[in-house]
Amino acid sequence: MRTNGKWRIAALTALSATLLMGNSVSYAAESNAPAGTVVENRPDVAKIENQYVGYIDEERGTVYYNVSGHDGDIYWSAVVERKPDGSLSRWGEGFTWVSKGTPKDAPNVWIPYNVDMEFQPSYYDWTEDTVHEGPNFILSPNRKWAFIEQSYYLTVGDKRYVYWMRNVETGEIVEWNESYGNARAAWTADDRIILKRYSEKDRQNEIVTYDPASGKWERILLGTLYAYDIKSNLMVYVHNEPSRQEMVYDLGTKKSRPLVDDTERGRLFAWSPPGYEQQPKLDANLDVWKLPVHPVAVVRDTLHTVHVDGKEIAVPYVFNRDGAQWIPMRELAQKLHWQVKLESAKDRAAAPRYRYTIQVGSRQIELTSDNSRIMNDHVFMTQAQLKTLGYSDIIITSNR
């Protein structure tokens, strides 16, 4: 928070990345900010120093620029949109960039108050002109499945990447893979996911595919995946040896060859869709804060409803892992009027990293890093833990 008023927090979050890294905050810090509250980031003069195209709405022809600069020693950033008729406007304070990285269906949006939420995901739905706080799933080519990469800290300094699969028809979310690093997962043309993982048997990286319809894994080869291009059905990889020569593998012909040149590398490693860099630049002397404001609504996704002894509680999402359903705690605590306490660092000493004590009448449970998970500004607990608190009739339904 800036003391000079250039940055003003309109909504403070509670369960922050500091907790994820082992520091203490109170339970009240778990975010209760209403949807739509953002960080105000208004400079006195907003002349553009840096800009790039983050997203192009192909249907409407609107171009979205991410722009930034300095007002004295204060850094500012904003989203500016240019309509097909050339008119300019900016999104309201608090939105700092929008980015359509291949192969996302909807562009990601960065909202500064989400910094303390381990990069709480948000995305822009242009059909509703609305930013959604929730996971930005990547749809399969046949649009029957969708996956997303998430991350959390198992212990201090031990960051894990987890991959969720959503059945579009049923709404069920299953955690199907976990890794120590980014698996570079991507959809293939035949509705499988290609990714890299570590083979315990061979003690080296392998490149595999996963079929969500059958649950089957298939090895392509031993090596490390660098990139996959769905249009050409080609992947770039290296063998697990010191030279690390970049190779290209055709998933159709199942043949490999050396990468040709920098032109081919640029095409296969394309960060943004074609045409983004060819868009005209905004005037560097444009005073961004004098542009008309395009108000963009912010809503929070609730993909599931938890039914607990006759009460309905909408939650952001529930995911399945190893046969157990993991449920966000905050919404349950608020609706069911739990007494929840987070022990301070001095009370819990070195271990565990956190301990939530939940009291319901005479019943009590403790949530620690051994039996729960902190991710995306949420503490997740299981149905079995709910039953320990005395609840018996627990049903989870999908909202879409």
Side-chain angles (χ1 to χ4, degrees):
M1 181 174 182
R2 302 269 187 181
T3 57
N4 61 6
K6 299 296 183 182
W7 289 68
R8 194 155 43 100
I9 302 297
L12 293 177
T13 62
L15 190 53
S16 69
T18 58
L19 174 59
L20 296 175
M21 296 306 293
N23 296 325
S24 94
V25 293
S26 67
Y27 170 72
E30 189 177 329
S31 174
N32 290 311
T37 53
V38 293
V39 176
E40 188 170 318
N41 174 20
R42 176 179 292 198
D44 295 328
V45 179
K47 298 298 178 66
I48 299 173
E49 297 175 14
N50 304 291
Q51 62 173 291
Y52 67 93
V53 174
Y55 173 52
I56 299 176
D57 180 345
E58 301 290 350
E59 290 202 22
R60 297 185 300 177
T62 302
V63 180
Y64 298 82
Y65 294 84
N66 299 315
V67 301
S68 62
H70 289 83
D71 177 25
D73 63 345
I74 306 303
Y75 175 83
W76 62 268
S77 55
V79 176
V80 174
E81 60 179 63
R82 189 192 74 230
K83 289 186 167 50
D85 62 6
S87 61
L88 299 175
S89 60
R90 65 173 176 85
W91 285 13
E93 290 91 351
F95 301 106
T96 59
W97 60 249
V98 56
S99 176
K100 174 70 162 64
T102 305
K104 292 280 188 180
D105 294 279
N108 292 322
V109 175
W110 181 260
I111 306 176
Y113 72 76
N114 287 341
V115 168
D116 286 341
M117 297 196 234
E118 180 60 4
F119 303 108
Q120 172 78 0
S122 298
Y123 63 95
Y124 178 58
D125 184 344
W126 64 265
T127 62
E128 301 175 352
D129 195 21
T130 299
V131 168
H132 290 252
E133 289 184 359
N136 189 7
F137 286 92
I138 306 172
L139 279 168
S140 61
N142 65 11
R143 309 187 79 81
K144 293 182 178 180
W145 305 91
F147 86 91
I148 190 172
E149 174 193 279
Q150 305 274 46
S151 63
Y152 73 100
Y153 287 90
L154 183 64
T155 60
V156 177
D158 184 5
K159 187 174 184 177
R160 300 295 179 91
Y161 292 81
V162 292
Y163 295 82
W164 292 356
M165 186 69 65
R166 182 169 183 261
N167 184 314
V168 174
E169 181 179 356
T170 66
E172 181 184 34
I173 298 173
V174 176
E175 187 172 291
W176 56 277
N177 186 54
E178 179 173 319
S179 66
Y180 290 98
N182 188 315
R184 300 187 179 124
W187 284 112
T188 62
D190 58 356
D191 301 296
R192 295 181 296 166
I193 293 178
I194 186 171
L195 67 154
K196 72 176 179 71
R197 68 177 183 178
Y198 184 76
S199 170
E200 295 290 348
K201 177 182 178 181
D202 296 288
R203 301 182 66 83
Q204 59 178 299
N205 287 340
E206 63 178 350
I207 303 172
V208 297
T209 60
Y210 173 74
D211 182 359
S214 65
K216 293 182 178 179
W217 295 81
E218 181 180 336
R219 175 187 285 180
I220 297 176
L221 50 80
L222 290 172
T224 300
L225 178 66
Y226 276 12
Y228 170 76
D229 178 59
I230 193 170
K231 291 182 179 179
S232 62
N233 206 23
L234 301 177
M235 75 174 184
V236 181
Y237 73 99
V238 296
H239 292 294
N240 300 319
E241 41 80 24
S243 70
R244 295 296 202 196
Q245 179 184 7
E246 291 178 325
M247 303 290 293
V248 175
Y249 180 88
D250 189 320
L251 271 68
T253 65
K254 303 185 185 307
K255 294 182 179 180
S256 293
R257 61 171 173 80
L259 184 75
V260 175
D261 52 26
D262 288 341
T263 299
E264 183 175 44
R265 179 184 293 106
R267 176 172 60 83
L268 297 178
F269 279 84
W271 176 81
S272 59
Y276 278 37
E277 295 183 359
Q278 286 71 45
Q279 292 296 319
K281 295 284 188 180
L282 297 174
D283 183 353
N285 292 316
L286 176 70
D287 191 341
V288 173
W289 252 253
K290 290 184 179 179
L291 292 175
V293 175
H294 173 189
V296 179
V298 180
V299 298
R300 286 180 175 163
D301 285 346
T302 52
L303 301 184
H304 294 96
T305 296
V306 183
H307 306 260
V308 182
D309 290 350
K311 293 186 177 181
E312 296 185 357
I313 307 165
V315 298
Y317 43 78
V318 173
F319 70 93
N320 296 313
R321 175 189 169 99
D322 298 331
Q325 292 180 303
W326 292 80
I327 308 166
M329 178 187 71
R330 181 196 308 127
E331 288 77 12
L332 301 182
Q334 292 173 340
K335 185 76 172 184
L336 300 174
H337 309 293
W338 292 349
Q339 295 181 25
V340 182
K341 177 186 177 183
L342 172 63
E343 291 188 4
S344 65
K346 65 178 182 180
D347 292 333
R348 53 188 163 84
R353 268 187 317 122
Y354 63 87
R355 178 183 283 114
Y356 280 93
T357 301
I358 302 175
Q359 187 81 35
V360 179
S362 61
R363 296 174 181 263
Q364 178 179 296
I365 63 169
E366 291 183 346
L367 300 182
T368 70
S369 54
D370 294 328
N371 63 6
S372 64
R373 180 188 292 184
I374 291 179
M375 185 170 61
N376 292 340
D377 189 41
H378 290 286
V379 177
F380 289 88
M381 62 188 302
T382 66
Q383 285 198 50
Q385 291 164 337
L386 278 176
K387 291 181 178 180
T388 300
L389 291 172
Y391 301 102
S392 58
D393 187 13
I394 305 167
I395 300 173
I396 297 171
T397 57
S398 172
N399 295 332
R400 60 177 180 175

